[in-house]
């Protein structure tokens, strides 16, 4: 059994549920600055090992892995502290809210030799898992294009003070799910162009970052991807549009995984189109009120993480993969800022490494 400490008990609620329901993990201790929240979680899960002091997790020899669910702006510090304390790390997305600090973090990871596994939760949703399995079995044939979107009315998220502070953006916090899905299938995206808008709804919260974005990308093999996101506009109901979708179109088959609907659409050559419904898994994925927490994905990724630790394999996405995604996002941002100019990821990375060398 691997022993887990958790810091940040908002979304950390899902990882608590996952660890407590796993035969491979022992939840050792949890931490949040907010004492009331610690007490609330203690009551909810009947789990009473909590602290408001992160150092207690760092210094605890009975913790192997620290799972980090603090605000994006604190990930750098909390990840580095955990690594320096000799812990393996599970960090929620985004690993960092920009490329800043990436080099230092990579150096600390390399020096300590500890794992940093980034919890890109969408990869672990049932329809996305099924889609990946079919892709790996070659059922799509040659992939020509990947279309990913994450469109939701995220205004509820802006109740969190840190989401209105420097370092928060819809780009790094929200659209990253769609970007990561694209990179999962097309890891070598080389160039991107896009347009962005900041609506009056966004401005009402004092936010200046783009809340609607549309991107077109191309990888080294000329394959095309699109990524879309809108975050403060009213959305249609789930029957009309799902919050997230990833469509892969290939020479032998087209598939689409959806979220939060447990739906997977397929059309393989020589077969009828099919809709695979996984509604029976609803309570596994969504364990609390509503669907804003999706603990089943976390369950899946900690089981995967444990499997990797057992096998001595690096869990993915690791730091390198996460940093390449951040570089792509920096390229996306630059394209928005330059009103649609095509930006190459290679240029962003070269410039970054030249700057921090
Ligand atoms: N799908 C996903 O994977 C997913 C979904 C939601 C949130 N997240 C990520 O989880 C992270 C947290 O988001 P959230 O929605 O839970 O935010 P939140 O504000 O609800 O929770 C963050 C918690 O961290 C605590 N905290 C802050 N600094 C701390 C410190 N130094 N020591 C201990 N506790 C500290 C706060 O008190 C707060 O309770 C973000 O990085 C977000 O991007 C991921």
């Amino acid at each position: 059994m691997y022993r887990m400490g958790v810091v940040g008990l908002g979304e950390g609620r899902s990882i608590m549920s996952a660890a407590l329901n796993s035969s491979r993990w022992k939840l050792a201790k949890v931490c949040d600055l907010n004492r009331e929240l610690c007490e609330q979680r203690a009551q909810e899960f009947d789990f009473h090992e909590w602290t408001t002091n992160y150092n207690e997790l760092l210094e605890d020899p009975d913790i192997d892995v620290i799972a980090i669910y603090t605000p994006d702006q604190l990930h750098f510090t909390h990840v580095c502290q955990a690594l320096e304390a000799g812990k393996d790390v599970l960090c929620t997305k985004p690993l960092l809210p920009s490329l800043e600090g990436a080099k230092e973090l990579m150096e600390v990871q390399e020096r300590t030799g500890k794992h940093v596994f980034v919890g890109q939760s969408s990869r672990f949703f049932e329809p996305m898992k099924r889609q990946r399995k079919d892709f790996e079995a070659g059922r799509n044939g040659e992939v020509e294009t990947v279309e990913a979107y994450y469109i939701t009315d995220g205004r509820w998220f802006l109740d969190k003070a840190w989401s209105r502070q420097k370092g928060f953006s819809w780009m790094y916090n929200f659209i990253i799910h769609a970007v990561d899905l694209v990179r999962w299938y097309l890891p070598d995206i080389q160039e991107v162009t896009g347009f962005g808008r900041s609506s009056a709804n966004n401005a009402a919260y004092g936010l200046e970052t783009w809340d609607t974005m549309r991107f077109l990308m191309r990888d080294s093999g000329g394959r095309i991807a699109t990524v879309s996101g809108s975050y403060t506009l009213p959305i249609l109901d789930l029957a009309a549009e799902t919050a997230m979708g990833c469509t892969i179109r290939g020479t032998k088959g087209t598939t689409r995984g959806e979220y939060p609907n447990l739906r997977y659409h397929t059309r393989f050559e020589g077969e009828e189109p099919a809709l695979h419904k996984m509604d029976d898994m609803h309570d596994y994925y969504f364990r609390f009120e509503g669907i804003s927490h999706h603990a089943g994905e976390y369950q899946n990724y900690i089981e995967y993480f444990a499997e990797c630790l057992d096998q001595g394999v690096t869990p993915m996405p690791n730091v390198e993969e996460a940093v390449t995604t951040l570089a792509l996002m920096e390229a996306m941002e630059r394209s928005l800022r330059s009103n649609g100019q095509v930006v190459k990821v290679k240029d962003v990375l070269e410039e970054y490494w030249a700057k921090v060398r």
Side-chain angles (χ1 to χ4, degrees):
M1 289 245 277
Y2 297 102
R3 297 162 303 179
M4 183 191 285
V6 178
V7 61
L9 302 183
E11 193 62 20
R13 181 188 191 190
S14 290
I15 204 76
M16 285 183 74
S17 162
L20 289 167
N21 279 289
S22 175
S23 57
R24 316 180 79 156
W25 291 89
K26 177 179 185 293
L27 188 62
K29 196 174 251 189
V30 300
C31 168
D32 198 290
L33 284 182
N34 179 342
R35 174 175 293 272
E36 270 174 33
L37 189 57
C38 291
E39 285 165 351
Q40 195 183 319
R41 296 288 177 244
Q43 209 171 26
E44 179 180 1
F45 294 107
D46 194 16
F47 178 82
H48 301 278
E49 292 298 318
W50 58 266
T51 172
T52 54
N53 182 355
Y54 185 40
N55 286 325
E56 279 190 35
L57 299 193
L58 299 173
E59 289 162 8
D60 190 334
D62 287 332
I63 291 178
D64 307 307
V65 174
I66 295 191
I68 295 168
Y69 292 83
T70 48
D72 301 358
Q73 298 94 328
L74 301 177
H75 291 177
F76 174 82
T77 306
H78 289 155
V79 171
C80 288
Q81 286 178 320
L83 290 172
E84 296 286 8
K87 313 293 186 192
D88 287 311
V89 169
L90 159 56
C91 182
T92 185
K93 47 50 62 178
L95 177 61
L96 298 171
S98 73
L99 263 184
E100 203 184 322
K103 174 181 175 261
E104 291 88 334
L105 200 150
M106 286 170 93
E107 282 171 356
V108 177
Q109 187 276 324
E110 207 178 320
R111 175 165 50 73
T112 57
K114 291 287 161 187
H115 291 294
V116 175
F117 168 48
V118 181
Q120 286 292 166
S121 53
S122 306
R123 294 187 186 191
F124 294 86
F125 195 54
E126 201 66 23
M128 305 332 191
K129 281 170 44 143
R130 290 272 292 270
Q131 182 174 39
R132 182 71 186 186
K133 205 167 159 204
D134 283 336
F135 165 79
E136 285 178 357
R139 300 200 73 197
N140 297 94
E142 295 293 319
V143 173
E144 289 295 316
T145 182
V146 178
E147 299 145 22
Y149 62 85
Y150 182 25
I151 291 180
T152 187
D153 187 347
R155 279 177 284 184
W156 63 273
F157 201 81
L158 302 174
D159 288 343
K160 300 171 197 281
W162 62 270
S163 70
R164 281 169 279 110
Q165 290 162 3
K166 188 174 175 294
F168 171 84
S169 65
W170 297 113
M171 169 90 83
Y172 287 86
N173 200 286
F174 276 67
I175 212 172
I176 190 169
H177 286 293
V179 176
D180 178 68
L181 288 173
V182 162
R183 286 210 62 243
W184 204 18
Y185 293 101
L186 304 178
D188 195 23
I189 295 286
Q190 297 205 324
E191 52 188 353
V192 57
T193 175
F195 295 108
R197 299 271 305 158
S198 179
S199 73
N201 292 357
N202 203 37
Y205 288 87
L207 285 181
E208 288 169 6
T209 58
W210 305 277
D211 60 339
T212 282
M213 296 162 266
R214 300 290 183 265
F215 298 96
L216 191 56
M217 305 174 178
R218 193 157 61 164
D219 84 344
S220 46
R223 290 170 282 260
I224 302 164
T226 55
V227 170
S228 309
S230 290
Y231 300 110
T232 70
L233 309 175
I235 47 167
L236 300 174
D237 70 43
L238 277 177
E241 69 177 354
T242 58
M244 206 180 296
C246 178
T247 305
I248 303 175
R249 298 180 198 274
T251 49
K252 289 187 180 161
T254 294
T255 58
R256 187 170 80 213
E258 295 177 351
Y259 172 96
N261 310 33
L262 282 143
R263 299 274 192 279
Y264 176 46
H265 302 261
T266 56
R267 173 125 207 197
F268 297 113
E269 222 167 40
E271 290 180 22
E272 290 297 310
L275 165 58
H276 310 270
K277 295 183 181 177
M278 301 153 214
D279 296 335
D280 56 329
M281 302 203 74
H282 183 275
D283 294 350
Y284 171 80
Y285 281 97
F286 304 103
R287 299 178 186 179
F288 314 122
E289 69 288 341
I291 52 168
S292 66
H293 292 273
H294 24 103
E297 295 176 346
Y298 297 58
Q299 189 80 55
N300 294 347
Y301 70 57
I302 64 168
E303 305 303 346
Y304 162 73
F305 192 6
E307 187 66 32
C308 291
L309 292 172
D310 285 352
Q311 308 290 330
V313 169
T314 303
M316 303 298 283
N318 63 354
V319 176
E320 281 78 19
E321 190 176 345
V323 167
T324 311
T325 299
L326 294 176
L328 170 56
M329 295 181 73
E330 166 76 29
M332 290 160 68
E333 251 190 295
R334 285 190 194 183
S335 185
L336 297 189
R337 263 188 253 119
S338 63
N339 208 18
Q341 214 175 337
V342 175
V343 179
K344 292 193 185 315
V345 180
K346 179 170 75 65
D347 292 346
V348 169
L349 276 169
E350 279 176 7
E351 210 178 286
Y352 174 72
W353 287 114
K355 194 174 87 185
V356 296
R357 194 174 294 137

